[in-house]
Amino acid sequence: MAFGRDVMTSKVAFIGLGNMGGGMAANQAKAGHAVAAFDLSAAALERAGTAGCTPVASVSEAVRDADVVITMLPAGPHVLKVYSEQIIGVAPSSALLLDCSTIDVDTARKVAGLAREGGYAFADAPVSGGTMAADAGTLAFMVGCDEADFGRIEAALEPMSRATFRAGDHGAGQAAKICNNMILGITMLGTCEAIALAEKLGLDPVKFFDIAAKSSGQSWSVTTYYPWPGPVPTAPSNRNYDGGFATAMMLKDLKLAQDAAAKSGASTPLGAQSEALFQLFDRLGYGGRDFSGILQMLRGKLDELPKG
């Protein structure tokens, strides 16, 4: 049964059940799809089973009867290897292939070419929104695909999405993602610097939130992810910067942006400075902490933040 025609009988293969993929796969199951889930982590497979997915022992077992294959993998080399060796030629040629990983544009286009040669419809469809949105099914998807395939892709992503955009042809989804996250890295650093300065000047950071959230300093980093505990109850700042969007992942995206800038000849001085600061935070031992925890480095309070 083709995906989208009969919700209860659509077969989804979900590969990669980490912090993001686990919630995404669970939402496919909640929508009524039969989800065959695979990950190298036994604990991740167990969580997927509890969420209504069917854990399987290999990628090939997951994809062999799939209507849709969704991957959420760490980096470009993993995506290329899994698609070239374990998905293309194993999944039915009628299957829709969706890579939701954040990788470099060149690799996304290479995988798209391999998929096309195999007779598959493919899209790079990275996400924005973090783990909370992955769990809630409210991610934003940035899609690079053939225009004729977008309707089918949008329907396949709907259980996980609050908004799905066709950014352009193959690779455009990855381009949109790395540019978007460069904005996020820069604005988070600006927010953290402003909070650190406000504190030094005797201004309560909670009062500063009330002001910045309704004036020209407003941004997503302020109103949705404020890095000081209290004003945004769901923000990782209320959990000692545990969970959320790991610093190592932000650093990965900023590196992708800088690599793309170097190849294209774009000038991105603030992006470069953001990469340098997050790299320092990561090297100090905080790569597993939410990226908004860099506030503690800027405040000179790293002794109050557990490494991880």
Side-chain angles (χ1 to χ4, degrees):
M1 180 68 69
F3 191 96
R5 296 180 186 174
D6 186 337
V7 168
M8 297 306 295
T9 59
S10 297
K11 297 178 181 178
V12 177
F14 207 107
I15 315 302
L17 305 169
N19 291 336
M20 296 292 292
M24 294 165 67
N27 280 309
Q28 288 287 343
K30 287 176 187 176
H33 303 302
V35 181
F38 176 74
D39 194 277
L40 294 174
S41 165
L45 285 172
E46 184 176 353
R47 288 192 295 270
T50 301
C53 304
T54 301
V56 297
S58 67
V59 173
S60 59
E61 184 180 352
V63 307
R64 64 188 176 194
D65 296 318
D67 297 313
V68 174
V69 176
I70 302 172
T71 52
M72 193 62 161
L73 301 169
H78 305 95
V79 172
L80 181 58
K81 182 177 178 65
V82 168
Y83 273 92
S84 62
E85 298 180 7
Q86 300 175 70
I87 295 177
I88 294 171
V90 179
S93 60
S94 59
L96 176 62
L97 310 182
L98 304 175
D99 180 43
C100 296
S101 319
T102 298
I103 63 173
D104 61 284
V105 173
D106 290 344
T107 297
R109 289 174 176 161
K110 184 171 184 177
V111 173
L114 294 173
R116 182 181 286 112
E117 290 172 8
Y120 297 89
F122 172 83
D124 51 289
V127 305
S128 178
T131 56
M132 291 181 292
D135 292 342
T138 56
L139 291 165
F141 287 83
M142 294 153 267
V143 179
C145 66
D146 290 336
E147 188 171 7
D149 295 328
F150 182 65
R152 185 182 174 200
I153 292 163
E154 189 173 24
L157 296 175
E158 193 276 334
M160 309 177 290
S161 172
R162 64 171 172 80
T164 301
F165 306 94
R166 181 177 181 266
D169 294 331
H170 294 115
Q174 297 296 346
K177 173 62 186 287
I178 61 177
C179 292
N180 183 73
N181 272 21
M182 186 171 70
I183 293 174
L184 177 58
I186 291 168
T187 57
M188 180 55 74
L189 281 169
T191 300
C192 290
E193 287 186 357
I195 291 170
L197 176 59
E199 183 184 25
K200 289 287 188 183
L201 296 175
L203 175 60
D204 180 359
V206 175
K207 179 59 68 175
F208 178 61
F209 167 83
D210 295 336
I211 296 166
K214 293 180 172 59
S215 53
S216 57
Q218 187 276 332
S219 71
W220 188 90
S221 295
V222 171
T223 56
T224 303
Y225 220 82
Y226 198 60
W228 187 276
V232 180
T234 56
S237 54
N238 298 288
R239 306 186 299 273
N240 211 11
Y241 308 98
D242 186 32
F245 186 35
T247 294
M249 294 296 99
M250 171 53 78
L251 179 58
K252 168 196 161 185
D253 292 355
L254 289 170
K255 286 182 177 295
L256 287 172
Q258 288 308 294
D259 288 346
K263 289 177 181 176
S264 64
S267 177
T268 56
L270 291 179
Q273 186 62 43
S274 296
E275 181 198 1
L277 286 168
F278 280 108
Q279 183 156 270
L280 173 60
F281 190 47
D282 177 70
R283 287 181 176 175
L284 289 170
Y286 298 95
R289 290 284 157 186
D290 183 78
F291 79 116
S292 64
I294 201 169
L295 171 63
Q296 301 297 68
M297 186 178 83
L298 297 174
R299 294 176 66 222
K301 301 286 187 178
L302 280 180
D303 59 327
E304 298 178 6
L305 182 63
K307 293 186 178 182

